[in-house]
Amino acid sequence: MASTLNRQKSLARFRDEEFDLAVIGAGINGAAVARDASMRGLKVALIDRGDFAGATSSRSSKLIHGGFRYLPQGQFKLVYEALRERERLRHRTAPHLVHPIQFLFPVYRKRGFNRFTMAMGLTLYDLLARMPFKEWHSSLNASEVRETEPALSREGLTGGAMYFDAWADDARVTFENVLDADLHGAAVANYAAVESFSVAGGQIASASVRDLLGGISCEIRAKKFLNAAGPWVDDIRRMDDPATTPCVRLTKGVHLVFARTVLPVRESIVLADEHGRNVFVMPHDRYVLVGTTDTDFAGDPASVRTEIGDVEYLLAVLAESLPGIKLTSADVATSFAGLRALIREGKEAPSSVPREEVILESASGLITVAGGKFTTHREIAQKVVDRVMRALGRASGVCPTLSTPLPGARALADGDSSGSSAAMRSIPASSAEILKARYGTRAPIVARIAARRPELAEPLSRNCPAIGAEVVNAVGSEMTHSVGDFLIRRTSLSWRSPVEAEAAASSVARIMAAELGWDRAREDAEVASFTHEQLSRRVVV
């Protein structure tokens, strides 16, 4: 199957067809549901008022993990399910996007776990994951921890452990779910906002959708509607029933990015604050990702941003555990803030609220899914689609996503292995490695563009891990409409290489202008918009 991601064709299908399922929201939950449903033979429409993975699903900790910290809370089922999904993603369905990461977890006196509970907890963690013995955790004494990471504070250090989890490009995982939904016949569009519902016989029959790029509205008709709008799920529920009460509690998670030259840690580290809450320090190439916070949020989800208090909290955790590394807010290369949609119950501290998903159905048939862990998105989607299949009177059958790899982890449909290999050989080896890391087996699709246009085989800026051919592919095949779409979500350069991304913005805009027919004013406006976005992510106290 060849990709048919074409926004205008999808908009036409919205007007002309009736769907089995319309999915509102193309974050990870909505994208995964659309993929699963379309693979089971349902006619699916998928829309988002912003870009794919435009909010929480591109602003996570980038971890694919079981959630070791949930074990003391007794959330064994959640941890087991997450570890099972972690291993499925890592070894079977997304090995090109999900990679192992080894953490050093130091233990300090009167701060979080002690050595015994750490060892017992990690043993259970490895058992639940069915880890091969070579990847089991190892316990360390204090001197071994200091040797492994000399920058760590020695005061109160009693030992620690090394253990494996995994990390991923969250936006890219989300996009490949969208892509696979498209490959299996879904009609997909970003920048398309639901404005109202129409009801017939007590059930939602259609939704009025406005094309935010073209300004034209249309009706999407479907037998079932799914609300997967993330932080906006309660807004969508109020369109259905103005008297409905909120079902989710929003909490904010902030991450900071530092150049590795100013935060020169050797290892990925799990640090604990004075309350025992974990903060991850994760080197990625030339930069280090630090996060996250977990605080209640009230207000417009679109306005969520990193604030001074968030920066001060994370800097304080770093200062306590890495006292020799003197950091200030001026050292922050960039940051990002996202919102978690958690179960709205009780008055627990945000970090203690259960991470299970919320699945509800209104009297008019609107199904809502929210929350859960990024790691368990496939399993959450399976539950939702099973429910939809029952509602439609269709047999659920064996869920195809249990074993079917994402597009970048399976062979190209054209079967032209020799041509694909030739395309990869025709471009610089460094560029070919960039493409394989981002697109997996689909890398030759981009390499062919670079082979035809050698000027697009070079990095977009000095040391930038992206090439010009990716911009052409993103515009033509990945429904990319802005410089931000490309640098923030299609490539994640905005956090993985923030300085290089800013330098590349003008090149990205120039290529997009040629592909989309932008005039110079639009080209300059795109660069200015992305630059402003990046500047706003630097918070200086």
Side-chain angles (χ1 to χ4, degrees):
M1 292 177 286
S3 174
T4 57
L5 264 179
N6 183 301
R7 192 168 181 277
Q8 293 307 312
K9 287 183 178 179
S10 290
L11 293 173
R13 288 185 62 190
F14 294 161
R15 292 190 295 269
D16 298 339
E17 299 178 21
E18 181 181 24
F19 297 88
D20 295 312
L21 175 65
V23 180
I24 303 164
I28 190 59
N29 284 338
V33 168
R35 177 189 185 227
D36 187 325
S38 60
M39 290 179 74
R40 292 203 224 183
L42 298 186
K43 184 183 282 191
V44 177
L46 173 65
I47 60 172
D48 196 294
R49 67 175 298 114
D51 190 22
F52 308 125
T56 306
S57 296
S58 59
R59 304 175 191 178
S60 77
S61 293
K62 321 303 175 187
L63 287 173
I64 302 296
H65 65 145
F68 176 67
R69 72 184 181 90
Y70 302 129
L71 288 177
Q73 298 174 13
Q75 298 185 54
F76 301 109
K77 182 174 180 289
L78 173 67
V79 174
Y80 170 69
E81 291 174 348
L83 287 171
R84 183 176 58 185
E85 291 299 311
R86 183 194 73 181
E87 295 304 286
R88 178 177 283 111
L89 285 161
R90 181 182 161 193
H91 296 293
R92 188 182 306 173
T93 60
H96 60 306
L97 295 174
V98 178
H99 310 285
I101 182 171
Q102 190 173 33
F103 281 107
L104 169 62
F105 201 150
V107 175
Y108 287 90
R109 193 175 294 112
K110 296 181 180 180
R111 197 194 313 171
F113 300 95
N114 59 45
R115 289 186 66 186
F116 177 76
T117 57
M118 168 78 72
M120 292 300 98
L122 286 174
T123 297
L124 178 58
Y125 200 66
D126 290 339
L127 284 170
L128 290 173
R130 298 180 182 176
M131 294 288 278
F133 186 72
K134 65 179 181 179
E135 293 186 358
W136 266 58
H137 77 279
S138 58
S139 295
L140 307 176
N141 60 36
S143 62
E144 288 170 328
V145 171
R146 291 195 296 269
E147 183 179 351
T148 303
E149 185 55 77
L152 283 168
S153 172
R154 300 188 176 196
E155 185 177 350
L157 180 67
T158 61
M162 299 288 292
Y163 76 98
F164 276 97
D165 249 319
W167 74 276
D169 181 336
D170 51 0
R172 200 72 208 173
V173 172
T174 303
F175 178 76
E176 286 215 11
N177 275 270
V178 173
L179 176 62
D180 216 11
D182 167 80
L183 288 168
H184 287 87
V188 175
N190 50 7
Y191 299 103
V194 170
E195 295 187 320
S196 63
F197 293 115
S198 295
V199 176
Q203 298 290 294
I204 296 177
S206 67
S208 176
V209 176
R210 185 169 184 80
D211 172 8
L212 298 180
L213 299 181
I216 298 173
S217 295
C218 68
E219 293 288 318
I220 291 183
R221 292 169 291 122
K223 297 170 185 174
K224 295 295 294 183
F225 283 81
L226 174 72
N227 170 18
W232 293 271
V233 290
D234 283 327
D235 292 344
I236 299 296
R237 293 175 69 235
R238 281 189 287 269
M239 288 184 190
D240 174 40
D241 178 6
T244 193
T245 57
C247 70
V248 297
R249 171 184 178 180
L250 300 182
T251 69
K252 181 172 72 167
V254 167
H255 294 79
L256 307 181
V257 178
F258 299 89
R260 206 162 180 176
T261 52
V262 301
L263 183 50
V265 292
R266 295 180 181 177
E267 306 288 339
S268 294
I269 313 170
V270 184
L271 303 179
D273 68 10
E274 60 183 352
H275 303 294
R277 192 184 175 283
N278 294 339
V279 170
F280 296 94
V281 179
M282 297 172 284
H284 291 282
D285 301 320
R286 291 186 296 276
Y287 294 88
V288 182
L289 182 65
V290 177
T292 179
T293 63
D294 200 356
T295 55
D296 282 309
F297 178 86
D300 180 5
S303 69
V304 64
R305 63 186 297 273
T306 303
E307 297 176 288
I308 290 174
D310 304 316
V311 178
E312 290 177 336
Y313 165 75
L314 291 172
L315 288 177
V317 174
L318 292 173
E320 183 175 26
S321 295
L322 303 166
I325 300 176
K326 307 298 184 182
L327 296 172
T328 70
S329 60
D331 293 311
V332 177
T334 191
S335 71
F336 54 88
L339 294 175
R340 309 173 189 87
L342 305 180
I343 297 172
R344 192 180 183 89
E345 60 179 32
K347 295 182 179 180
E348 302 100 326
S351 59
S352 298
V353 178
R355 261 46 179 181
E356 284 91 349
E357 70 279 0
V358 178
I359 302 177
L360 304 171
E361 185 165 359
S362 72
S364 62
L366 177 67
I367 300 174
T368 293
V369 60
K373 288 167 55 64
F374 190 98
T375 305
T376 56
H377 66 268
R378 190 215 60 81
E379 186 172 50
I380 293 169
Q382 180 179 343
K383 294 176 185 176
V384 172
V385 177
D386 283 347
R387 183 171 187 153
V388 171
M389 298 292 276
R390 289 193 299 270
L392 295 176
R394 306 272 289 270
S396 296
V398 176
C399 180
T401 64
L402 284 165
S403 57
T404 305
L406 287 169
R410 59 185 187 241
L412 286 177
D414 60 16
D416 182 12
S417 58
S418 60
S420 295
S421 299
M424 295 297 286
R425 290 195 302 270
S426 69
I427 63 175
S430 58
S431 297
E433 289 303 311
I434 288 170
L435 299 187
K436 284 189 286 186
R438 186 140 42 239
Y439 306 96
T441 57
R442 296 176 64 80
I445 295 173
V446 187
R448 288 168 191 157
I449 298 171
R452 292 194 302 268
R453 300 169 60 182
E455 75 278 8
L456 298 179
E458 299 300 322
L460 288 163
S461 66
R462 187 168 180 264
N463 294 324
C464 180
I467 64 174
E470 293 185 79
V471 183
V472 175
N473 177 70
V475 170
S477 301
E478 296 190 345
M479 222 174 274
T480 300
H481 305 288
S482 71
V483 169
D485 286 351
F486 180 78
L487 290 174
I488 298 172
R489 289 169 289 278
R490 299 300 180 275
T491 60
S492 298
L493 291 177
S494 61
W495 73 267
R496 292 198 66 183
S497 301
V499 173
E500 294 78 4
E502 288 183 43
S506 58
S507 295
V508 174
R510 184 174 64 252
I511 296 169
M512 291 188 73
E515 296 297 310
L516 294 170
W518 292 346
D519 59 20
R520 185 55 185 269
R522 172 67 186 275
E523 184 180 336
D524 291 344
E526 286 287 333
V527 175
S529 177
F530 176 73
T531 301
H532 175 75
E533 170 75 11
Q534 286 295 93
L535 287 173
S536 72
R537 295 183 177 203
R538 297 178 194 157
V539 179
V540 179
V541 179

